[in-house]
Amino acid sequence: MSLRRIMLFSRFERFWHWTQVLLIMTLLFTGFGIHGFHDLLDFKTQVSLHTAGALGLLVLWVFAIFWHLTTGTWRHYVPTTNGLLKVARFYVYGIFKGERHPYRKAYWRKHNPLQALSYLALKLILFPAIWISGLIYLFYPVWGGAASGETLLWVAMIHTAVAFAILMFIIIHVYLLTTGESFKDHVMPMINGFDEVELTKEEEAYLEKDEPQNIR
Amino acid sequence: MRSIVVAFLTASLIMAANVQAEQKTDVDMNFRLDKIVEQPTQRSDSNSTADHSKFEDLKVEFTSGPEVTKACLKCHTEAGHQFMKNIHWTWTYENEKTGQLLGKKHLVNTFCTNSRGNEGMCAQCHAGYGWKDESFDFSNQNNVDCVVCHDRTGTYYKAPSTTGNKACSIMFEGKQSIDLTKVAQNVGLPARENCGGCHFYGGGGDGVKHGDLDSSLIHPDKKLDVHMDEAGLNFACTQCHITNKHVWTGSRYDVIAKDTEGTGKPGQRRDVATCESCHGLQPHPVNSLANIKLNNHVDRVACQTCHIPTIARGGIATKTDWDWRTAGKTKDGEGYKEHNYTQGNGVHRATYKSIKGDFKYGENLVPHYGWFDGQMIYTTIDTVFDPSSGPIKVNRYTGSADDENSRLWPFKQMHTFQPYDKGNNTLVYMHLWGDDEDAYWGNYDFGKAIKIGMEKNNLPYSGEYDFVETYSYWPITHMVAPKEDALACAECHAKEGRLQGLQGFYLPGRDSFHWLDIIGLLAVGLMFFGVFWHGFIRFVTHKARKQS
């Protein structure tokens, strides 16, 4: 076993991540604007941006889902209880004692168990909740005629509640970037794709032989 | 010096003459003032194949209206009987859905209250000759007034069919006589001033009743009405209110609040005056997300709601409040007027008249909004109401957010205090017009005017009257602004927007779950709080470790 810098976040994954950042930020900003929390843009612009952003994000997600399935990357998100408590204990206690993070990234397991579980929840619960409620909201004219005037209220409520939850995720997600050696160390992998990973001999040998550009 | 004196005297004489003319022509009651139609508007769509001045039958000296009509009917053989089915002739409308008997002949309104019994004055706006009382012959087609609608000289007008009390009749003195032969030889399709001669003056004066119909629409610019714009499309009324055998579309007694048919099949729809019948069901060009969203509004929001941002925009005010309770005050035994409102075009409007009471006006008014399915329910003369249950809606629109056939519509809301029968709890007919001792206009006695008004129509009257607060609602559909002046989204999609008072539906930007917002913001706040303290403790413990 040796610690090596390898290409962990491929070009598409980084594109997906940062486009998603841009779109989600736009959606949160315009969404809360439409909701009435601010009027920094006029309503028409907010609605147009929100709709365009949402449709863009849906297209991106279609590609991302396809990518997860075809590349097998979905395996990074399979939940496990193995080491989960250790990581949780680290964040509520060990981190203050200066302990080392208990998790080592592996070639086929780049997220720690807590991280994997929260990303999985984000992808399987919050994201579907926001896009399903969003599409129902967007296509209100298709079903709204026959529905009671109050129905939209419930759709809007779910959509808003999930938006709050996603905002909370973002806060903790960004905060956790500060918990490593440095903020930069945590961000760089998502920029140049390279991160330190504990490789088995076989993995290391494979990468050095077949994908030398992906290992430093 | 002498010339100066002469000039001064001449000027004084001219001024005196002007003052006199002003007194005679009351702007609050000026049905077709001559000056308004000095220049008849041109219809842009006229393609007549006949020149009526060349017809031998019209080259005669006409001495009365019915003679002209007889001449018209010689060629237009069916026009008389066709027109006699028209509400402009019958003044009666039976609503098949509600069974209510409506029309000017029957209704009580929130302005001069009733034309019934006051035909001597009110039937000036009846498209017939000589209706002054119950004896009028509705079956005689020679009584139809063709030229009031078809005159294209701009010189034809109608005067009251009976002489009222001198307190009122003075207003109609000194008018130019009409050259009926010239009028008959210059007939054509009606233009705005023809219809407007009555419809612009409903409620007893310019712009009084509707708010979206007043004499500013005779020569409007694009800002005032994008369709009637004289320098542009220059629409006449009948270009939307299309006709079929002298019966035309677009009655407010039977409103199509939601047209789901649109432009229909090739050829022109002849059955509706809706916006959709020309603009279709997807009226905004599908070239942006915002426009697609606007098209998505069509099912719940009437075109008029966004495209008529305000009413009474043409410099002419509309009446918003009328208080009959103060009517009847006199000075030295004579009725009087106060003109304390100056409207946009500079004309002073009466704020008090002894014959009518106190008024308030509005211009550039934001309409009242409500869910409307096209149905109006009227408080008719025989409707018993409970005056203690709050203001009476003399007409009430029906519809709701839950009904997919209802749309949000703009209305002009009229607020009035008017007499009612205190014993029977009904509205009353008043005997207003007449050269007798009982007519209110001249004698200022509500008791007598109501007693006679009810008696004349064999209606029960308890003998006791009081005043009741009423509202009436007038659907708004004219004064369509250019698209750049249409309402911005945030006019409604905002916490304190135009639809603030309407409940029963979720309006993005206006509505939210208050507790959800509080929980959501609290949770986000706690998250910030949590990461802040987590970070702070990390910082402190890290420092402590470094020191040790």
Side-chain angles (χ1 to χ4, degrees):
Chain A
M1 299 285 267
S2 54
L3 206 57
R4 297 288 301 266
R5 296 188 73 79
I6 63 157
M7 169 58 71
L8 197 58
F9 299 98
S10 65
R11 194 171 290 157
F12 174 76
E13 192 168 9
R14 281 174 280 148
F15 167 78
W16 165 50
H17 177 268
W18 290 114
T19 312
Q20 189 165 269
V21 168
L22 182 76
L23 289 173
I24 289 180
M25 287 303 169
T26 308
L27 288 166
L28 278 172
F29 178 76
T30 54
F32 282 122
I34 292 165
H35 191 63
F37 282 171
H38 68 81
D39 52 4
L40 297 167
L41 292 173
D42 73 275
F43 197 85
K44 186 176 174 180
T45 313
Q46 311 238 49
V47 171
S48 298
L49 277 175
H50 198 77
T51 312
L55 294 174
L57 190 55
L58 283 177
V59 170
L60 183 68
W61 279 344
V62 167
F63 278 101
I65 290 166
F66 181 75
W67 173 81
H68 275 90
L69 294 177
T70 52
T71 59
T73 330
W74 57 271
R75 281 187 281 163
H76 288 286
Y77 302 94
V78 175
T80 173
T81 51
N82 185 17
L84 183 66
L85 276 177
K86 269 189 195 164
V87 174
R89 187 195 156 275
F90 168 77
Y91 282 117
V92 296
Y93 181 73
I95 193 169
F96 305 125
K97 303 284 279 182
E99 287 175 12
R100 197 163 165 260
H101 199 292
Y103 187 72
R104 291 284 148 280
K105 285 179 181 150
Y107 187 41
W108 274 107
R109 198 71 199 184
K110 59 189 169 198
H111 302 308
N112 73 51
L114 192 62
Q115 217 179 351
L117 190 66
S118 29
Y119 289 170
L120 188 70
L122 182 73
K123 289 173 173 194
L124 289 189
I125 299 169
L126 291 187
F127 282 174
I130 203 85
W131 68 254
I132 291 171
S133 63
L135 280 180
I136 294 175
Y137 203 148
L138 189 65
F139 285 96
Y140 165 75
V142 176
W143 56 269
S148 133
E150 300 272 355
T151 316
L152 186 63
L153 190 138
W154 292 98
V155 176
M157 185 175 88
I158 292 166
H159 198 67
T160 315
V162 180
F164 276 122
I166 290 174
L167 177 58
M168 287 161 70
F169 171 85
I170 291 169
I171 293 166
I172 210 155
H173 182 69
V174 173
Y175 170 70
L176 287 175
L177 291 178
T178 67
T179 60
E181 281 300 306
S182 73
F183 185 76
K184 186 172 159 259
D185 279 353
H186 258 78
V187 178
M188 279 317 282
M190 200 43 93
I191 293 170
N192 60 26
F194 282 88
D195 202 357
E196 277 187 347
V197 170
E198 204 129 346
L199 296 179
T200 60
K201 265 202 180 93
E202 293 80 1
E203 284 165 348
E204 196 177 4
Y206 162 76
L207 286 170
E208 282 190 333
K209 176 148 197 312
D210 283 352
E211 296 179 30
Q213 75 277 16
N214 288 339
I215 185 159
R216 285 176 184 171
Chain B
M1 182 65 195
R2 183 181 284 177
S3 61
I4 292 171
V5 171
V6 170
F8 178 76
L9 282 175
T10 317
S12 313
L13 274 171
I14 290 169
M15 277 167 71
N18 279 344
V19 167
Q20 209 170 9
E22 235 169 64
Q23 281 169 346
K24 272 183 185 161
T25 54
D26 183 341
V27 287
D28 289 307
M29 221 178 227
N30 55 347
F31 304 104
R32 297 198 66 166
L33 274 185
D34 299 347
K35 66 173 181 185
I36 288 171
V37 286
E38 250 164 34
Q39 276 199 312
T41 62
Q42 295 299 312
R43 271 195 72 135
S44 51
D45 63 331
S46 185
N47 56 0
S48 174
T49 53
D51 179 350
H52 285 77
S53 67
K54 291 180 180 164
F55 288 178
E56 291 306 317
D57 282 322
L58 300 180
K59 288 180 182 168
V60 287
E61 278 295 309
F62 292 111
T63 54
S64 75
E67 279 177 37
V68 179
T69 300
K70 240 188 226 172
C72 300
L73 295 176
K74 269 190 193 169
C75 294
H76 299 277
T77 54
E78 307 310 306
H81 288 289
Q82 283 174 353
F83 186 74
M84 282 154 79
K85 295 194 180 100
N86 186 305
I87 195 168
H88 291 76
W89 174 257
T90 62
W91 277 25
T92 291
Y93 181 87
E94 204 182 330
N95 189 320
E96 285 169 11
K97 291 170 203 149
T98 61
Q100 287 196 307
L101 192 59
L102 311 173
K104 291 188 185 306
K105 202 176 184 177
H106 309 282
L107 281 179
V108 178
N109 63 51
T110 57
F111 299 90
C112 293
T113 73
N114 56 295
S115 60
R116 185 67 175 257
N118 297 309
E119 288 85 359
M121 166 73 187
C122 302
Q124 274 182 98
C125 277
H126 180 245
Y129 292 114
W131 183 7
K132 55 180 193 287
D133 53 32
E134 299 291 310
S135 68
F136 182 73
D137 185 359
F138 281 95
S139 64
N140 180 0
Q141 62 171 349
N142 291 336
N143 283 343
V144 172
D145 185 346
C146 306
V147 287
V148 70
C149 300
H150 291 286
D151 164 46
R152 302 301 301 123
T153 67
T155 60
Y156 186 82
Y157 62 89
K158 291 177 82 74
S161 49
T162 61
T163 325
N165 189 287
K166 71 170 170 36
C168 304
S169 56
I170 186 165
M171 292 183 294
F172 303 96
E173 285 172 2
K175 284 211 163 198
Q176 275 183 316
S177 62
I178 305 164
D179 180 351
L180 283 174
T181 304
K182 185 179 156 202
V183 168
Q185 290 181 0
N186 287 283
V187 288
L189 289 173
R192 291 188 297 274
E193 68 269 26
N194 291 91
C195 307
C198 283
H199 292 280
F200 293 162
Y201 300 95
D206 201 353
V208 165
K209 187 194 277 177
H210 292 283
D212 63 338
L213 286 173
D214 60 47
S215 67
S216 66
L217 289 173
I218 293 174
H219 302 294
D221 61 10
K222 194 174 178 181
K223 276 258 174 210
L224 182 57
D225 191 289
V226 74
H227 300 109
M228 295 189 243
D229 170 25
E230 197 169 32
L233 290 171
N234 194 24
F235 273 24
C237 308
T238 52
Q239 272 165 285
C240 293
H241 293 272
I242 45 179
T243 65
N244 192 354
K245 292 180 178 157
H246 262 110
V247 174
W248 41 91
T249 55
S251 165
R252 67 182 163 80
Y253 290 122
D254 186 20
V255 177
I256 295 169
K258 182 177 178 179
D259 183 348
T260 52
E261 209 176 311
T263 49
K265 295 263 154 54
Q268 207 178 355
R269 283 181 74 184
R270 305 301 299 179
D271 59 336
V272 288
T274 59
C275 308
E276 290 88 340
S277 66
C278 286
H279 292 281
L281 300 173
Q282 301 277 306
H284 310 93
V286 185
N287 56 11
S288 72
L289 284 170
N291 277 353
I292 294 170
K293 191 68 227 167
L294 288 179
N295 281 338
N296 287 346
H297 280 66
V298 169
D299 60 339
R300 301 324 311 268
V301 182
C303 311
Q304 290 87 339
T305 299
C306 300
H307 289 279
I308 306 174
T310 56
I311 54 173
R313 292 205 306 276
I316 291 160
T318 188
K319 218 166 259 188
T320 55
D321 296 80
W322 185 323
D323 191 346
W324 276 96
R325 294 173 302 182
T326 54
K329 288 187 274 189
T330 53
K331 281 180 183 165
D332 307 321
E334 295 283 327
Y336 67 98
K337 295 173 194 169
E338 286 167 8
H339 292 88
N340 293 327
Y341 183 91
T342 307
Q343 64 188 18
N345 68 359
V347 172
H348 306 295
R349 300 296 292 263
T351 46
Y352 178 77
K353 282 185 181 183
S354 300
I355 62 166
K356 292 179 175 180
D358 275 300
F359 313 125
K360 282 184 196 152
Y361 296 86
E363 286 175 83
N364 300 308
L365 269 182
V366 171
H368 162 99
Y369 297 98
W371 291 100
F372 185 35
D373 61 10
Q375 193 65 65
M376 285 281 187
I377 309 288
Y378 286 81
T379 302
T380 52
I381 190 71
D382 51 6
T383 310
V384 177
F385 51 80
D386 175 9
S388 64
S389 68
I392 304 302
K393 287 176 175 170
V394 169
N395 70 336
R396 170 171 67 81
Y397 54 86
T398 63
S400 79
D402 285 342
D403 168 25
E404 67 174 311
N405 296 316
S406 298
R407 295 201 294 178
L408 280 167
W409 267 77
F411 297 90
K412 181 204 156 180
Q413 178 179 267
M414 179 70 192
H415 177 234
T416 304
F417 288 93
Q418 65 190 86
Y420 80 105
D421 182 339
K422 203 178 170 183
N424 295 329
N425 288 339
T426 61
L427 294 173
V428 291
Y429 285 152
M430 289 198 279
H431 174 52
L432 297 168
W433 178 263
D435 192 12
D436 57 74
E437 283 183 2
D438 302 314
Y440 187 80
W441 290 348
N443 302 303
Y444 308 114
D445 185 336
F446 278 116
K448 278 190 197 170
I450 295 168
K451 183 171 172 287
I452 299 299
M454 297 299 267
E455 260 175 28
K456 272 200 291 194
N457 294 288
N458 301 315
L459 288 162
Y461 175 51
S462 69
E464 256 193 296
Y465 73 90
D466 201 347
F467 296 88
V468 64
E469 191 176 4
T470 60
Y471 282 103
S472 62
Y473 297 90
W474 306 86
I476 294 302
T477 192
H478 308 100
M479 295 192 182
V480 176
K483 58 175 176 273
E484 58 271 19
D485 292 343
L487 289 191
C489 310
E491 287 284 336
C492 298
H493 291 281
K495 298 273 180 229
E496 284 172 14
R498 294 186 178 212
L499 302 181
Q500 200 183 358
L502 282 171
Q503 294 309 318
F505 64 103
Y506 184 84
L507 180 62
R510 180 194 73 167
D511 296 330
S512 58
F513 270 109
H514 193 51
W515 53 262
L516 174 67
D517 287 352
I518 289 172
I519 292 171
L521 290 172
L522 260 175
V524 169
L526 275 175
M527 192 61 93
F528 268 115
F529 187 78
V531 299
F532 174 78
W533 281 106
H534 196 272
F536 184 73
I537 297 169
R538 267 170 56 215
F539 176 74
V540 171
T541 52
H542 181 73
K543 250 191 160 174
R545 276 198 310 277
K546 251 185 166 177
Q547 277 171 358
S548 69

